Amino acid sequence: MTENTKPYRIWLAATLAAVIAALALFASVTVYIDPLFHYHAPLKNYEYPINNERYQNDGITRHFDYDSIITGTSMTENFKTTEADKIFGADFIKVPFSGGRYKEINDNLKRAYAAGKNIRYVIRCLDYSLLAEDKDSYRQDTDYPKYLYNDSIFDDLNYVLNKSILMNHTIAVMDYTKAGNKTTPFDSYANWNAFYTFGAETVLGTYALGEKAETARVITAEEKERVLGNVRQNVTDLADEHPETVFYYFFPPYSICYWDSQNNEGLTDWQIEIEKTAIEEILKHSNIRLYSFTNNFKLICNLDNYKDQAHYREWINSWMLKWMKEGKYLLTKDNYREYIRSVRKFYKTYDYDSLRESGQ
């Protein structure tokens, strides 16, 4: 090193040290507060807004204290864990994934077990509208923060050195706490009940029928195999791996308007056969209790319960918790064929024209 180059080298070293120190300080705030729970549960001296499913659910699953889980699509967002705790005598978290496919939801459950959680109960919806999708499919129109879903420390740079995370999440925790708020309870986390209008006028205005299908769709052998692949990989394999857990799975009660669309498109028999294929596979597993509310025709035909073809008010979630604990609407090897027969008859013979004409 010559006398002429020595000052530049010192300047370069000092600059690098300053940059590293600044980045470390930048990162340390997010690491410490950890608004997405990537490293730890909420700190006792801060209050956290829980408001982003795909950014926070993984951390909730791995780091919160609980012994039971409610999970699934938007069909589970209006569940209240305080009700589930009381009914099942457990300590639930709620980690819904709006529009989530079977693999995404199952992968999250696997992360819970990998984190060493001892899980008593899993309550999860199985949307039959998604049964025939590929076993590895994910929701396509959603931004996934993949750096939060693995254990690589190198990916974490996307989290701890992320300006958007710092401003919109880390500092938001500080502001949220300073404003006197409390960490979002699971009863209200992702709960949308208060933000929508319900009833026949609203629901009937959410869809329009096209030309009626001339022929009914028939399930193929390939589609049956796809359903079985989806169910085995993302539903039953996990139950087999964890016999210590009781899995409460249910098919959610989509409204009569959903079946109106299915009927118009010639899909009623196809949809019911898809469901039948799944039921027969799931019932082979003794620690899964499978429920369906599709044959609660009074509920499904009362559009005051719905905001659109599928989404129901929070009181339906409350009822389903009680029904599942009481064993109502439980599918068994002895009754599922009669269940299939009854729903097929009802949805294939329902007077859908009167539904739209009367607005009821």
Side-chain angles (χ1 to χ4, degrees), residues 269-318:
D269 275 323
W270 179 85
Q271 182 69 79
I272 292 172
E273 285 300 310
I274 291 290
E275 185 179 350
K276 179 174 178 285
T277 301
I279 290 171
E280 291 176 340
E281 184 63 28
I282 293 170
L283 290 182
K284 297 176 183 177
H285 305 268
S286 60
N287 60 327
I288 298 178
R289 297 180 183 177
L290 179 63
Y291 298 79
S292 180
F293 308 105
T294 307
N295 61 339
N296 187 330
F297 305 125
K298 182 178 179 180
L299 183 162
I300 284 170
C301 291
N302 182 358
L303 295 184
D304 286 341
N305 292 323
Y306 295 89
K307 75 177 184 71
D308 55 32
Q309 292 184 57
H311 294 88
Y312 36 78
R313 292 191 183 211
E314 64 181 11
W315 63 50
I316 306 302
N317 297 81
S318 300

Short mmCIF file of all heavy atoms in Angstrom, two decimals, residues 269-318:
data_model
loop_
_atom_site.label_atom_id
_atom_site.label_comp_id
_atom_site.label_asym_id
_atom_site.label_seq_id
_atom_site.Cartn_x
_atom_site.Cartn_y
_atom_site.Cartn_z
N ASP A 269 -74.79 -33.11 -11.19
CA ASP A 269 -74.36 -34.50 -10.98
C ASP A 269 -72.85 -34.60 -10.88
O ASP A 269 -72.31 -35.36 -10.06
CB ASP A 269 -74.86 -35.38 -12.13
CG ASP A 269 -76.28 -35.88 -11.91
OD1 ASP A 269 -76.62 -36.18 -10.75
OD2 ASP A 269 -77.05 -35.95 -12.88
N TRP A 270 -72.15 -33.86 -11.73
CA TRP A 270 -70.69 -33.87 -11.72
C TRP A 270 -70.16 -33.43 -10.36
O TRP A 270 -69.28 -34.08 -9.79
CB TRP A 270 -70.17 -32.95 -12.82
CG TRP A 270 -68.67 -32.87 -12.91
CD1 TRP A 270 -67.83 -33.72 -13.56
CD2 TRP A 270 -67.84 -31.85 -12.32
NE1 TRP A 270 -66.53 -33.31 -13.42
CE2 TRP A 270 -66.51 -32.16 -12.67
CE3 TRP A 270 -68.10 -30.72 -11.54
CZ2 TRP A 270 -65.43 -31.38 -12.25
CZ3 TRP A 270 -67.03 -29.93 -11.13
CH2 TRP A 270 -65.71 -30.26 -11.49
N GLN A 271 -70.71 -32.34 -9.82
CA GLN A 271 -70.25 -31.83 -8.53
C GLN A 271 -70.52 -32.83 -7.42
O GLN A 271 -69.68 -33.06 -6.54
CB GLN A 271 -70.94 -30.50 -8.22
CG GLN A 271 -70.51 -29.86 -6.91
CD GLN A 271 -69.09 -29.36 -6.95
OE1 GLN A 271 -68.79 -28.31 -7.49
NE2 GLN A 271 -68.17 -30.14 -6.39
N ILE A 272 -71.68 -33.45 -7.44
CA ILE A 272 -72.02 -34.41 -6.40
C ILE A 272 -71.15 -35.66 -6.50
O ILE A 272 -70.73 -36.22 -5.47
CB ILE A 272 -73.52 -34.76 -6.48
CG1 ILE A 272 -74.35 -33.53 -6.08
CG2 ILE A 272 -73.87 -35.95 -5.58
CD1 ILE A 272 -75.84 -33.68 -6.31
N GLU A 273 -70.80 -36.09 -7.71
CA GLU A 273 -69.92 -37.24 -7.86
C GLU A 273 -68.50 -36.92 -7.39
O GLU A 273 -67.80 -37.78 -6.84
CB GLU A 273 -69.90 -37.72 -9.31
CG GLU A 273 -71.14 -38.47 -9.73
CD GLU A 273 -71.35 -39.72 -8.88
OE1 GLU A 273 -70.39 -40.51 -8.72
OE2 GLU A 273 -72.47 -39.91 -8.36
N ILE A 274 -68.07 -35.68 -7.63
CA ILE A 274 -66.77 -35.24 -7.11
C ILE A 274 -66.76 -35.35 -5.59
O ILE A 274 -65.81 -35.88 -4.98
CB ILE A 274 -66.50 -33.78 -7.53
CG1 ILE A 274 -66.25 -33.67 -9.04
CG2 ILE A 274 -65.33 -33.19 -6.73
CD1 ILE A 274 -64.95 -34.25 -9.50
N GLU A 275 -67.82 -34.86 -4.98
CA GLU A 275 -67.92 -34.91 -3.51
C GLU A 275 -67.97 -36.35 -3.01
O GLU A 275 -67.32 -36.70 -2.02
CB GLU A 275 -69.16 -34.13 -3.07
CG GLU A 275 -69.30 -34.01 -1.56
CD GLU A 275 -70.53 -33.22 -1.16
OE1 GLU A 275 -71.18 -32.61 -2.04
OE2 GLU A 275 -70.85 -33.23 0.04
N LYS A 276 -68.74 -37.19 -3.69
CA LYS A 276 -68.87 -38.60 -3.30
C LYS A 276 -67.51 -39.29 -3.34
O LYS A 276 -67.16 -40.08 -2.45
CB LYS A 276 -69.85 -39.31 -4.22
CG LYS A 276 -70.06 -40.79 -3.94
CD LYS A 276 -71.17 -41.33 -4.84
CE LYS A 276 -71.38 -42.83 -4.63
NZ LYS A 276 -70.30 -43.63 -5.25
N THR A 277 -66.74 -39.01 -4.37
CA THR A 277 -65.40 -39.60 -4.49
C THR A 277 -64.53 -39.22 -3.30
O THR A 277 -63.83 -40.06 -2.72
CB THR A 277 -64.73 -39.14 -5.80
OG1 THR A 277 -65.54 -39.54 -6.91
CG2 THR A 277 -63.34 -39.73 -5.93
N ALA A 278 -64.59 -37.94 -2.92
CA ALA A 278 -63.81 -37.47 -1.77
C ALA A 278 -64.30 -38.09 -0.47
O ALA A 278 -63.49 -38.50 0.38
CB ALA A 278 -63.88 -35.94 -1.70
N ILE A 279 -65.60 -38.15 -0.30
CA ILE A 279 -66.17 -38.70 0.93
C ILE A 279 -65.71 -40.14 1.14
O ILE A 279 -65.28 -40.52 2.24
CB ILE A 279 -67.71 -38.64 0.89
CG1 ILE A 279 -68.19 -37.19 1.00
CG2 ILE A 279 -68.33 -39.47 2.01
CD1 ILE A 279 -69.68 -37.01 0.74
N GLU A 280 -65.80 -40.94 0.11
CA GLU A 280 -65.44 -42.36 0.24
C GLU A 280 -63.97 -42.53 0.62
O GLU A 280 -63.62 -43.47 1.35
CB GLU A 280 -65.77 -43.09 -1.06
CG GLU A 280 -67.27 -43.22 -1.30
CD GLU A 280 -67.62 -43.85 -2.63
OE1 GLU A 280 -66.75 -43.86 -3.54
OE2 GLU A 280 -68.76 -44.32 -2.77
N GLU A 281 -63.12 -41.64 0.15
CA GLU A 281 -61.71 -41.72 0.50
C GLU A 281 -61.48 -41.24 1.94
O GLU A 281 -60.74 -41.87 2.72
CB GLU A 281 -60.88 -40.89 -0.47
CG GLU A 281 -59.38 -40.97 -0.25
CD GLU A 281 -58.83 -42.37 -0.46
OE1 GLU A 281 -59.41 -43.15 -1.23
OE2 GLU A 281 -57.78 -42.69 0.16
N ILE A 282 -62.10 -40.15 2.32
CA ILE A 282 -61.88 -39.57 3.64
C ILE A 282 -62.41 -40.48 4.75
O ILE A 282 -61.80 -40.58 5.83
CB ILE A 282 -62.52 -38.17 3.71
CG1 ILE A 282 -61.78 -37.20 2.78
CG2 ILE A 282 -62.50 -37.63 5.14
CD1 ILE A 282 -62.47 -35.87 2.59
N LEU A 283 -63.51 -41.14 4.51
CA LEU A 283 -64.12 -41.98 5.54
C LEU A 283 -63.29 -43.22 5.89
O LEU A 283 -63.59 -43.92 6.85
CB LEU A 283 -65.53 -42.40 5.12
CG LEU A 283 -66.58 -41.29 5.10
CD1 LEU A 283 -67.94 -41.85 4.70
CD2 LEU A 283 -66.67 -40.58 6.44
N LYS A 284 -62.23 -43.46 5.17
CA LYS A 284 -61.34 -44.58 5.49
C LYS A 284 -60.45 -44.28 6.69
O LYS A 284 -59.78 -45.17 7.20
CB LYS A 284 -60.45 -44.90 4.28
CG LYS A 284 -61.20 -45.37 3.04
CD LYS A 284 -60.22 -45.55 1.88
CE LYS A 284 -60.94 -45.96 0.60
NZ LYS A 284 -60.00 -46.08 -0.55
N HIS A 285 -60.46 -43.04 7.16
CA HIS A 285 -59.49 -42.59 8.16
C HIS A 285 -60.19 -42.27 9.47
O HIS A 285 -61.00 -41.35 9.56
CB HIS A 285 -58.71 -41.40 7.62
CG HIS A 285 -58.06 -41.68 6.29
ND1 HIS A 285 -56.76 -42.16 6.19
CD2 HIS A 285 -58.55 -41.62 5.03
CE1 HIS A 285 -56.48 -42.36 4.92
NE2 HIS A 285 -57.55 -42.04 4.19
N SER A 286 -59.85 -43.02 10.51
CA SER A 286 -60.62 -43.02 11.75
C SER A 286 -60.51 -41.74 12.57
O SER A 286 -61.41 -41.45 13.36
CB SER A 286 -60.20 -44.21 12.61
OG SER A 286 -58.81 -44.14 12.94
N ASN A 287 -59.44 -40.97 12.42
CA ASN A 287 -59.31 -39.74 13.21
C ASN A 287 -59.79 -38.51 12.46
O ASN A 287 -59.54 -37.37 12.88
CB ASN A 287 -57.88 -39.53 13.71
CG ASN A 287 -56.87 -39.42 12.58
OD1 ASN A 287 -57.02 -40.05 11.53
ND2 ASN A 287 -55.83 -38.63 12.79
N ILE A 288 -60.49 -38.73 11.33
CA ILE A 288 -61.16 -37.62 10.63
C ILE A 288 -62.66 -37.75 10.85
O ILE A 288 -63.24 -38.81 10.61
CB ILE A 288 -60.87 -37.64 9.12
CG1 ILE A 288 -59.38 -37.46 8.86
CG2 ILE A 288 -61.66 -36.53 8.42
CD1 ILE A 288 -59.01 -37.51 7.37
N ARG A 289 -63.27 -36.66 11.30
CA ARG A 289 -64.72 -36.60 11.41
C ARG A 289 -65.20 -35.64 10.32
O ARG A 289 -64.94 -34.44 10.38
CB ARG A 289 -65.13 -36.11 12.80
CG ARG A 289 -64.68 -37.06 13.90
CD ARG A 289 -65.08 -36.60 15.28
NE ARG A 289 -64.55 -37.51 16.31
CZ ARG A 289 -64.69 -37.33 17.61
NH1 ARG A 289 -65.34 -36.26 18.07
NH2 ARG A 289 -64.17 -38.19 18.46
N LEU A 290 -65.89 -36.21 9.36
CA LEU A 290 -66.29 -35.45 8.18
C LEU A 290 -67.76 -35.06 8.26
O LEU A 290 -68.62 -35.91 8.47
CB LEU A 290 -66.04 -36.29 6.93
CG LEU A 290 -66.43 -35.65 5.59
CD1 LEU A 290 -65.59 -34.39 5.33
CD2 LEU A 290 -66.26 -36.65 4.45
N TYR A 291 -68.00 -33.77 8.07
CA TYR A 291 -69.36 -33.23 8.13
C TYR A 291 -69.71 -32.57 6.81
O TYR A 291 -68.84 -32.06 6.10
CB TYR A 291 -69.47 -32.19 9.25
CG TYR A 291 -69.21 -32.73 10.63
CD1 TYR A 291 -67.91 -32.96 11.08
CD2 TYR A 291 -70.27 -33.04 11.50
CE1 TYR A 291 -67.66 -33.47 12.35
CE2 TYR A 291 -70.02 -33.55 12.76
CZ TYR A 291 -68.73 -33.77 13.17
OH TYR A 291 -68.49 -34.28 14.42
N SER A 292 -70.99 -32.58 6.51
CA SER A 292 -71.48 -31.78 5.39
C SER A 292 -72.80 -31.13 5.77
O SER A 292 -73.68 -31.79 6.33
CB SER A 292 -71.68 -32.63 4.13
OG SER A 292 -72.16 -31.80 3.08
N PHE A 293 -72.91 -29.86 5.47
CA PHE A 293 -74.13 -29.10 5.76
C PHE A 293 -74.92 -28.82 4.48
O PHE A 293 -75.85 -28.03 4.47
CB PHE A 293 -73.77 -27.80 6.48
CG PHE A 293 -72.90 -28.05 7.69
CD1 PHE A 293 -71.55 -27.75 7.66
CD2 PHE A 293 -73.43 -28.63 8.83
CE1 PHE A 293 -70.74 -28.00 8.75
CE2 PHE A 293 -72.63 -28.89 9.93
CZ PHE A 293 -71.28 -28.57 9.89
N THR A 294 -74.51 -29.52 3.40
CA THR A 294 -75.16 -29.34 2.12
C THR A 294 -76.60 -29.84 2.14
O THR A 294 -77.41 -29.45 1.31
CB THR A 294 -74.36 -30.08 1.02
OG1 THR A 294 -73.00 -29.64 1.09
CG2 THR A 294 -74.89 -29.79 -0.36
N ASN A 295 -76.91 -30.71 3.08
CA ASN A 295 -78.28 -31.22 3.18
C ASN A 295 -79.09 -30.49 4.25
O ASN A 295 -80.19 -30.92 4.61
CB ASN A 295 -78.30 -32.72 3.46
CG ASN A 295 -77.60 -33.10 4.76
OD1 ASN A 295 -76.80 -32.34 5.27
ND2 ASN A 295 -77.91 -34.28 5.27
N ASN A 296 -78.57 -29.37 4.75
CA ASN A 296 -79.38 -28.50 5.60
C ASN A 296 -80.09 -27.53 4.66
O ASN A 296 -79.70 -26.38 4.48
CB ASN A 296 -78.51 -27.75 6.60
CG ASN A 296 -79.32 -26.97 7.62
OD1 ASN A 296 -80.43 -26.51 7.33
ND2 ASN A 296 -78.78 -26.80 8.82
N PHE A 297 -81.13 -28.04 4.02
CA PHE A 297 -81.78 -27.31 2.94
C PHE A 297 -82.44 -26.02 3.42
O PHE A 297 -82.48 -25.03 2.67
CB PHE A 297 -82.80 -28.21 2.25
CG PHE A 297 -82.22 -29.51 1.76
CD1 PHE A 297 -82.76 -30.73 2.14
CD2 PHE A 297 -81.11 -29.52 0.93
CE1 PHE A 297 -82.24 -31.92 1.69
CE2 PHE A 297 -80.56 -30.71 0.47
CZ PHE A 297 -81.12 -31.92 0.86
N LYS A 298 -82.92 -26.01 4.64
CA LYS A 298 -83.55 -24.80 5.17
C LYS A 298 -82.54 -23.67 5.27
O LYS A 298 -82.83 -22.53 4.89
CB LYS A 298 -84.17 -25.09 6.54
CG LYS A 298 -84.90 -23.90 7.15
CD LYS A 298 -85.53 -24.27 8.49
CE LYS A 298 -86.25 -23.07 9.11
NZ LYS A 298 -86.87 -23.42 10.42
N LEU A 299 -81.36 -23.97 5.74
CA LEU A 299 -80.28 -22.98 5.85
C LEU A 299 -79.89 -22.48 4.47
O LEU A 299 -79.80 -21.27 4.23
CB LEU A 299 -79.08 -23.61 6.56
CG LEU A 299 -77.84 -22.75 6.86
CD1 LEU A 299 -77.01 -23.45 7.94
CD2 LEU A 299 -76.97 -22.52 5.64
N ILE A 300 -79.65 -23.41 3.57
CA ILE A 300 -79.12 -23.08 2.24
C ILE A 300 -80.12 -22.28 1.41
O ILE A 300 -79.72 -21.44 0.59
CB ILE A 300 -78.69 -24.38 1.55
CG1 ILE A 300 -77.37 -24.85 2.14
CG2 ILE A 300 -78.58 -24.21 0.04
CD1 ILE A 300 -76.95 -26.23 1.74
N CYS A 301 -81.40 -22.51 1.61
CA CYS A 301 -82.41 -21.81 0.81
C CYS A 301 -82.83 -20.47 1.42
O CYS A 301 -83.59 -19.72 0.80
CB CYS A 301 -83.64 -22.70 0.64
SG CYS A 301 -83.32 -24.14 -0.41
N ASN A 302 -82.33 -20.15 2.59
CA ASN A 302 -82.64 -18.87 3.23
C ASN A 302 -81.53 -17.88 2.87
O ASN A 302 -80.46 -17.86 3.49
CB ASN A 302 -82.75 -19.03 4.73
CG ASN A 302 -83.12 -17.73 5.43
OD1 ASN A 302 -83.26 -16.68 4.80
ND2 ASN A 302 -83.26 -17.78 6.75
N LEU A 303 -81.78 -17.04 1.89
CA LEU A 303 -80.73 -16.14 1.39
C LEU A 303 -80.41 -15.01 2.36
O LEU A 303 -79.44 -14.28 2.16
CB LEU A 303 -81.12 -15.59 0.03
CG LEU A 303 -81.21 -16.64 -1.09
CD1 LEU A 303 -81.50 -15.98 -2.43
CD2 LEU A 303 -79.93 -17.47 -1.17
N ASP A 304 -81.19 -14.87 3.43
CA ASP A 304 -80.81 -13.91 4.47
C ASP A 304 -79.50 -14.32 5.14
O ASP A 304 -78.86 -13.51 5.81
CB ASP A 304 -81.90 -13.81 5.54
CG ASP A 304 -83.12 -13.05 5.05
OD1 ASP A 304 -83.00 -12.30 4.06
OD2 ASP A 304 -84.20 -13.21 5.66
N ASN A 305 -79.11 -15.57 4.95
CA ASN A 305 -77.86 -16.06 5.53
C ASN A 305 -76.63 -15.72 4.69
O ASN A 305 -75.50 -15.98 5.13
CB ASN A 305 -77.92 -17.59 5.68
CG ASN A 305 -78.92 -18.04 6.72
OD1 ASN A 305 -79.08 -17.40 7.76
ND2 ASN A 305 -79.61 -19.14 6.44
N TYR A 306 -76.80 -15.14 3.50
CA TYR A 306 -75.70 -15.05 2.54
C TYR A 306 -75.49 -13.63 2.01
O TYR A 306 -76.41 -12.83 1.93
CB TYR A 306 -75.97 -15.98 1.36
CG TYR A 306 -75.97 -17.44 1.75
CD1 TYR A 306 -77.15 -18.06 2.17
CD2 TYR A 306 -74.80 -18.19 1.72
CE1 TYR A 306 -77.16 -19.40 2.55
CE2 TYR A 306 -74.80 -19.52 2.10
CZ TYR A 306 -75.98 -20.13 2.52
OH TYR A 306 -75.98 -21.44 2.89
N LYS A 307 -74.23 -13.39 1.59
CA LYS A 307 -73.90 -12.14 0.90
C LYS A 307 -73.66 -12.38 -0.59
O LYS A 307 -73.63 -11.45 -1.38
CB LYS A 307 -72.67 -11.48 1.51
CG LYS A 307 -71.33 -12.12 1.17
CD LYS A 307 -70.18 -11.33 1.77
CE LYS A 307 -68.82 -11.88 1.38
NZ LYS A 307 -68.49 -11.64 -0.04
N ASP A 308 -73.45 -13.63 -0.97
CA ASP A 308 -73.29 -14.02 -2.37
C ASP A 308 -73.63 -15.49 -2.48
O ASP A 308 -74.22 -16.06 -1.56
CB ASP A 308 -71.88 -13.70 -2.90
CG ASP A 308 -70.77 -14.31 -2.07
OD1 ASP A 308 -71.00 -15.41 -1.49
OD2 ASP A 308 -69.67 -13.74 -1.99
N GLN A 309 -73.23 -16.14 -3.56
CA GLN A 309 -73.61 -17.53 -3.76
C GLN A 309 -73.06 -18.47 -2.68
O GLN A 309 -73.67 -19.50 -2.40
CB GLN A 309 -73.11 -18.03 -5.11
CG GLN A 309 -73.79 -17.39 -6.31
CD GLN A 309 -73.31 -18.01 -7.61
OE1 GLN A 309 -73.41 -19.21 -7.81
NE2 GLN A 309 -72.75 -17.18 -8.48
N ALA A 310 -71.94 -18.12 -2.08
CA ALA A 310 -71.28 -19.07 -1.18
C ALA A 310 -71.09 -18.58 0.24
O ALA A 310 -71.13 -19.37 1.18
CB ALA A 310 -69.92 -19.44 -1.76
N HIS A 311 -70.88 -17.28 0.44
CA HIS A 311 -70.42 -16.78 1.73
C HIS A 311 -71.58 -16.48 2.68
O HIS A 311 -72.47 -15.71 2.36
CB HIS A 311 -69.57 -15.53 1.55
CG HIS A 311 -68.28 -15.81 0.84
ND1 HIS A 311 -68.17 -15.79 -0.52
CD2 HIS A 311 -67.05 -16.13 1.32
CE1 HIS A 311 -66.92 -16.07 -0.87
NE2 HIS A 311 -66.22 -16.29 0.24
N TYR A 312 -71.50 -17.05 3.86
CA TYR A 312 -72.58 -16.98 4.84
C TYR A 312 -72.21 -16.10 6.04
O TYR A 312 -71.04 -15.82 6.30
CB TYR A 312 -72.94 -18.39 5.35
CG TYR A 312 -71.76 -19.31 5.48
CD1 TYR A 312 -70.87 -19.23 6.55
CD2 TYR A 312 -71.51 -20.28 4.49
CE1 TYR A 312 -69.79 -20.08 6.66
CE2 TYR A 312 -70.43 -21.13 4.59
CZ TYR A 312 -69.57 -21.03 5.67
OH TYR A 312 -68.48 -21.86 5.77
N ARG A 313 -73.25 -15.69 6.76
CA ARG A 313 -73.05 -14.85 7.95
C ARG A 313 -72.33 -15.60 9.06
O ARG A 313 -72.31 -16.82 9.10
CB ARG A 313 -74.40 -14.37 8.47
CG ARG A 313 -75.13 -13.39 7.58
CD ARG A 313 -76.31 -12.79 8.31
NE ARG A 313 -77.07 -11.89 7.47
CZ ARG A 313 -77.73 -10.83 7.93
NH1 ARG A 313 -77.73 -10.56 9.21
NH2 ARG A 313 -78.41 -10.05 7.11
N GLU A 314 -71.80 -14.83 10.01
CA GLU A 314 -71.01 -15.44 11.07
C GLU A 314 -71.83 -16.35 11.97
O GLU A 314 -71.27 -17.25 12.61
CB GLU A 314 -70.31 -14.36 11.90
CG GLU A 314 -71.22 -13.44 12.66
CD GLU A 314 -70.47 -12.37 13.43
OE1 GLU A 314 -69.25 -12.23 13.22
OE2 GLU A 314 -71.10 -11.69 14.27
N TRP A 315 -73.14 -16.15 12.04
CA TRP A 315 -73.91 -17.03 12.91
C TRP A 315 -73.93 -18.46 12.36
O TRP A 315 -74.12 -19.42 13.12
CB TRP A 315 -75.31 -16.50 13.17
CG TRP A 315 -76.25 -16.35 12.01
CD1 TRP A 315 -76.56 -17.27 11.05
CD2 TRP A 315 -77.05 -15.21 11.71
NE1 TRP A 315 -77.48 -16.78 10.17
CE2 TRP A 315 -77.81 -15.50 10.55
CE3 TRP A 315 -77.21 -13.95 12.31
CZ2 TRP A 315 -78.70 -14.60 9.98
CZ3 TRP A 315 -78.09 -13.05 11.74
CH2 TRP A 315 -78.82 -13.37 10.59
N ILE A 316 -73.73 -18.62 11.05
CA ILE A 316 -73.64 -19.97 10.49
C ILE A 316 -72.38 -20.65 11.00
O ILE A 316 -72.39 -21.84 11.34
CB ILE A 316 -73.65 -19.93 8.95
CG1 ILE A 316 -74.87 -19.15 8.43
CG2 ILE A 316 -73.60 -21.33 8.37
CD1 ILE A 316 -76.20 -19.71 8.89
N ASN A 317 -71.29 -19.91 11.09
CA ASN A 317 -70.06 -20.46 11.66
C ASN A 317 -70.29 -20.91 13.10
O ASN A 317 -69.81 -21.96 13.52
CB ASN A 317 -68.93 -19.43 11.61
CG ASN A 317 -68.57 -19.02 10.21
OD1 ASN A 317 -69.24 -18.18 9.60
ND2 ASN A 317 -67.52 -19.59 9.66
N SER A 318 -71.03 -20.10 13.85
CA SER A 318 -71.32 -20.46 15.24
C SER A 318 -72.14 -21.74 15.32
O SER A 318 -71.86 -22.62 16.14
CB SER A 318 -72.07 -19.31 15.93
OG SER A 318 -71.31 -18.12 15.93
#
